[in-house]
């Protein structure tokens, strides 16, 4: 069975999606959209590495599942979401407010780079600064209080090309200035796999990118500026990240999406082996105290689950059962002081709505102490991103 066949949606689900095309602009996303971290502006050839994807969050489908909000008073800092305006899908301040205001007590959020609103002109290496300028404006709007009590984009993580080596310093300094006190770090995706089923994204990473001396020279510029590094990769690359963390013990590294366990392409029928390999990698990475893990991102279409193909969205109990081995493994390895739940919206909206996802996280943390919950849902994020 081909990859395209295994990821095809059911006839009735396709009918549902086509019936709501007007809500989403009537245009399907480009083939690279399944990996939202690695989408436009794309590098040459990036689209060829991207798998086909279903349409992005479908409001009518998500509305088929509603639940009462669990523990509505529990403070949540959402440390991972995006903002973009793309063909067929807009996720800007109004869409973000709709999610953060859907019942859970979201007090602050952190924006993570996604290639939005890059500058159209000027030096190529400086174009990502446009994204920070854009997001800083959204944060300023939120800080006015006119849009409610949640402080959106209180922290901003942008992009800078570490392959510039020492030359990345001027980009980092420009990003800090553009963030007006909100800029916290960068993400330079290093996603790489031999299979063309997996995207290498905007950065079009090379094999062994994290070992490259010039890339590492750029990486070395982060800690002196008190900037963090968001690590976005696939699970076979976890040993490479472990070595990087050991080489730069003074740089805070934030591992995205529980380390990117892959369940498509050559990994599709090897989920038991993949889990074992992923767990070994997580255990090794966690040995470095400068690494923090984000608990989420499991709803994306390259991963281990296919909730997005179903007639009805999963319940929070469904997500709890599916995600528990990954979440519990990470918490056991890193501890609550180096772990934080994340929404990864809108990418994870392909599998569930925002309130359902946070209900699932609360179910997963049900046996935790008050202190442990505080750290997982807000405390770790506040510390790592230096939020008030």
């Amino acid at each position: 069975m081909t990859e395209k066949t295994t990821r095809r949606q059911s006839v009735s689900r396709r009918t549902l999606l086509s019936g709501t095309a007007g809500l989403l602009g009537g245009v399907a996303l480009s083939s690279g959209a399944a990996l939202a971290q690695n989408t436009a502006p794309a590098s040459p050839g990036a689209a060829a590495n991207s798998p086909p994807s279903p349409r992005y969050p479908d409001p009518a489908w998500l509305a088929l599942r509603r639940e009462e909000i669990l523990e509505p008073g529990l403070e949540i800092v959402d440390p991972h979401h995006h903002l973009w305006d793309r063909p067929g899908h807009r996720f800007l301040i109004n869409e973000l407010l709709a999610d953060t205001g859907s019942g859970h007590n979201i007090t602050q959020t952190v924006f993570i780079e996604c290639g939005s609103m890059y500058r159209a002109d000027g030096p190529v290496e400086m174009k990502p600064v446009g994204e920070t300028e854009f997001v800083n404006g959204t944060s300023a709007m939120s800080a006015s209080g006119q849009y409610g009590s949640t402080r959106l984009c209180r922290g901003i993580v942008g992009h800078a090309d570490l392959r510039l080596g020492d030359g990345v310093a001027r980009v980092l300094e420009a990003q800090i200035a553009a963030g007006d006190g909100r800029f916290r770090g960068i993400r330079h995706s290093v996603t790489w796999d031999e299979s063309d089923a997996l995207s290498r994204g905007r950065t079009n990473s090379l094999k062994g990118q994290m070992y490259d001396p010039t890339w590492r020279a750029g990486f070395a510029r982060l800690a002196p500026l008190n900037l963090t590094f968001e690590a976005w990769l696939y699970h076979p690359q976890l040993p490479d990240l472990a070595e990087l963390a050991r080489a730069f013990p003074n740089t805070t590294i934030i591992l995205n999406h529980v380390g990117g366990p892959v369940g498509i392409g050559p990994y599709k029928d090897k989920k038991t082996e993949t889990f074992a390999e992923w767990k070994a990698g997580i255990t090794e990475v966690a040995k470095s105290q400068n690494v923090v893990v984000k608990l989420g991102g499991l709803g994306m279409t390259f991963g281990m689950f296919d909730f997005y193909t179903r007639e009805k969205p999963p319940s929070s109990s469904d997500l709890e059962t599916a995600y528990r081995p990954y979440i519990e493994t990470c918490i056991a390895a890193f501890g609550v002081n180096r772990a934080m739940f994340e929404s990864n919206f809108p990418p994870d909206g392909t599998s569930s709505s925002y309130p359902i996802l946070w209900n699932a996280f609360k179910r997963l943390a049900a046996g935790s102490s008050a202190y442990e919950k505080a750290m997982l849902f807000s405390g770790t994020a506040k510390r790592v991103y230096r939020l008030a």
Side-chain angles (χ1 to χ4, degrees):
M1 184 176 289
T2 66
E3 180 60 28
K4 182 175 289 187
T5 302
T6 61
R7 298 162 56 96
R8 189 172 55 210
Q9 300 182 12
S10 67
V11 173
S12 53
R13 176 78 196 280
R14 289 200 305 272
T15 302
L16 176 61
L17 288 174
S18 64
T20 58
L23 294 172
L24 297 175
V27 182
L29 287 178
S30 64
S31 61
L35 301 181
Q37 282 67 14
N38 295 324
T39 49
S43 15
N49 292 317
S50 303
S53 67
R55 197 184 299 274
Y56 250 88
D58 168 21
W61 182 70
L62 293 174
L64 295 175
R65 177 76 69 179
R66 297 188 184 279
E67 294 181 357
E68 181 180 349
I69 300 298
L70 303 177
E71 297 183 77
L74 179 64
E75 181 184 8
I76 296 173
V77 173
D78 185 349
H80 198 113
H81 70 80
H82 308 294
L83 294 170
W84 59 50
D85 192 355
R86 297 176 175 173
H89 189 242
R90 172 175 290 184
F91 193 82
L92 298 175
I93 186 170
N94 288 337
E95 290 77 18
L96 178 59
L97 284 168
D99 280 338
T100 59
S102 58
H104 293 283
N105 183 25
I106 314 293
T107 60
Q108 302 180 72
T109 76
V110 178
F111 168 87
I112 306 298
E113 67 88 28
C114 55
S116 284
M117 309 300 178
Y118 277 22
R119 292 174 177 174
D121 305 307
V124 172
E125 68 273 14
M126 300 299 288
K127 290 185 176 183
V129 179
E131 182 172 54
T132 300
E133 294 168 332
F134 150 62
V135 176
N136 191 52
T138 299
S139 183
M141 291 171 67
S142 176
S144 73
Q146 184 174 337
Y147 298 88
S149 60
T150 301
R151 293 298 175 256
L152 305 177
C153 310
R154 192 68 175 268
I156 300 173
V157 173
H159 174 71
D161 191 347
L162 297 181
R163 291 170 297 196
L164 294 168
D166 290 331
V168 79
R170 63 186 293 267
V171 181
L172 298 175
E173 290 164 358
Q175 290 279 33
I176 291 170
D180 193 26
R182 300 181 175 101
F183 195 77
R184 295 294 181 263
I186 68 113
R187 180 168 71 168
H188 180 129
S189 169
V190 294
T191 53
W192 183 91
D193 193 86
E194 292 181 355
S195 172
D196 285 340
L198 293 164
S199 174
R200 295 172 196 168
R202 290 192 315 279
T203 58
N204 198 21
S205 296
L206 301 175
K207 182 179 181 180
Q209 184 71 80
M210 288 178 280
Y211 292 99
D212 178 74
T214 303
W215 190 92
R216 285 194 169 199
F219 189 93
R221 291 286 185 164
L222 297 175
L225 293 172
N226 197 24
L227 296 177
T228 60
F229 176 75
E230 302 273 331
W232 172 223
L233 41 71
Y234 301 131
H235 75 270
Q237 299 175 279
L238 286 169
D240 295 350
L241 182 67
E243 200 285 327
L244 180 72
R246 289 191 292 267
F248 293 90
N250 296 320
T251 303
T252 297
I253 297 173
I254 303 157
L255 178 59
N256 290 184
H257 316 325
V258 300
V262 179
I264 67 170
Y267 305 98
K268 186 182 186 311
D269 298 317
K270 299 179 179 179
K271 293 191 175 182
T272 300
E273 297 93 324
T274 291
F275 183 84
E277 181 182 7
W278 167 83
K279 184 176 181 179
I282 286 293
T283 302
E284 190 61 29
V285 169
K287 292 178 182 178
S288 293
Q289 295 298 307
N290 55 319
V291 185
V292 178
V293 66
K294 284 181 175 176
L295 307 173
L298 289 163
M300 291 188 286
T301 57
F302 74 89
M304 306 293 279
F305 308 104
D306 63 353
F307 290 116
Y308 55 87
T309 68
R310 301 185 182 183
E311 291 296 317
K312 187 175 182 179
S315 67
S316 60
S317 294
D318 293 332
L319 295 178
E320 173 199 7
T321 299
Y323 294 174
R324 181 172 293 281
Y326 298 89
I327 301 301
E328 288 189 342
T329 295
C330 285
I331 294 175
F334 285 88
V336 299
N337 293 305
R338 291 195 291 137
M340 53 182 130
F341 286 116
E342 55 156 341
S343 75
N344 186 40
F345 259 59
D348 266 52
T350 57
S351 291
S352 70
S353 68
Y354 196 87
I356 295 290
L357 179 62
W358 285 105
N359 266 1
F361 291 153
K362 288 176 178 179
R363 289 183 184 279
L364 285 162
S368 302
S369 68
Y371 172 80
E372 290 169 336
K373 286 184 181 179
M375 295 307 297
L376 291 169
F377 286 95
S378 62
T380 299
K382 287 181 179 179
R383 175 180 63 81
V384 171
Y385 290 110
R386 295 180 279 125
L387 306 177

